[in-house]
Amino acid sequence: MIHTNRSRLALAIASVAILSSGCGRLVEKASEKAVEKAIENDSGEDVDIDFSDGGIRVESADGDITFSADENGVQIDGTDADGNDVTFNADENGFEAEGPDGEVVTGAADGDGGFSVEGPDGEAVFATTQGIPEQWPDDVPRPDGLSDVIGSYISDGDTVNITVTGTVSGDPSSTFDSYTGDVVDAGFEEESTFTQGDSSSASFVRGEQQLIVSIQSDGTTSQMVISVN
């Protein structure tokens, strides 16, 4: 499989390719050798870099990857050590990636400042939203009295994490006590709690489910963070 750092390296050296494009093949070759040496020193592997055909090609024992970009977006094509193809296409509307097993992952912005990534089955595997994510469990209390709420959702097989962050509009201590009370009423057991001034945190469990809530205050504003696993 192509290591993810190969993709990052291809993206990083894109700027070198742009600079060298107007300076002739001599500069291109010097740039190629400089990048090759840097990668080899860092990874201990032999690599071959080629700036040509409007893109960048990186070859190694782990496979090869080609990066190209224009006004229409970004294209990355690669082959792993076993000869399996991988692709990545991105433009202003989102991205589509296909792995060596043929599974396709897509991502797109929602137009409201959020972004979501869907797995091969069409289910969300990652999302950021304005407000509480729609995947928030029905049997977990929703926080009230928060403004500027931002949520995130991450799914990895049977493991799901949802995090909500928002600004507390009222007294932070009262807000914390009110919400943690709702959590206990919902059947969670408190594992630990810590309070110092206007900053508090606590963790709760209910079966295999864990909830962590904290409020941090800087004396002017307070942020509440709730994470459910």
Side-chain angles (χ1 to χ4, degrees), residues 81-116:
D82 296 324
N84 300 307
D85 294 332
V86 293
T87 63
F88 177 89
N89 302 288
D91 58 26
E92 60 183 5
N93 297 316
F95 75 85
E96 180 178 284
E98 181 175 353
D101 54 5
E103 293 188 342
V104 177
V105 175
T106 60
D110 62 13
D112 295 319
F115 192 86
S116 63

Side-chain angles (χ1 to χ4, degrees), residues 67-218:
F67 167 90
S68 61
D70 57 26
E71 66 276 6
N72 296 317
V74 175
Q75 171 83 29
I76 298 176
D77 297 290
T79 304
D80 65 16
D82 296 324
N84 300 307
D85 294 332
V86 293
T87 63
F88 177 89
N89 302 288
D91 58 26
E92 60 183 5
N93 297 316
F95 75 85
E96 180 178 284
E98 181 175 353
D101 54 5
E103 293 188 342
V104 177
V105 175
T106 60
D110 62 13
D112 295 319
F115 192 86
S116 63
V117 178
E118 294 183 351
D121 57 2
E123 295 291 330
V125 294
F126 171 79
T128 60
T129 64
Q130 296 289 330
I132 298 175
E134 62 181 18
Q135 296 88 355
W136 186 268
D138 292 335
D139 58 352
V140 175
R142 298 169 69 91
D144 294 323
L146 300 181
S147 59
D148 302 321
V149 177
I150 298 175
S152 68
Y153 167 85
I154 301 174
S155 173
D156 183 10
D158 295 332
T159 303
V160 173
N161 176 268
I162 302 175
T163 300
V164 170
T165 302
T167 301
V168 178
S169 56
D171 175 67
S173 296
S174 298
T175 302
F176 180 82
D177 291 342
S178 176
Y179 182 74
T180 55
D182 291 342
V183 169
V184 172
D185 290 342
F188 284 87
E189 293 184 14
E190 184 179 289
E191 279 192 313
S192 64
T193 186
F194 172 81
T195 299
Q196 183 175 11
D198 289 333
S199 298
S200 302
S201 64
S203 64
F204 301 83
V205 294
R206 185 180 61 185
E208 296 182 355
Q209 198 170 37
Q210 183 180 44
L211 183 148
I212 299 174
V213 56
S214 65
I215 286 183
Q216 301 293 326
S217 179
D218 61 6

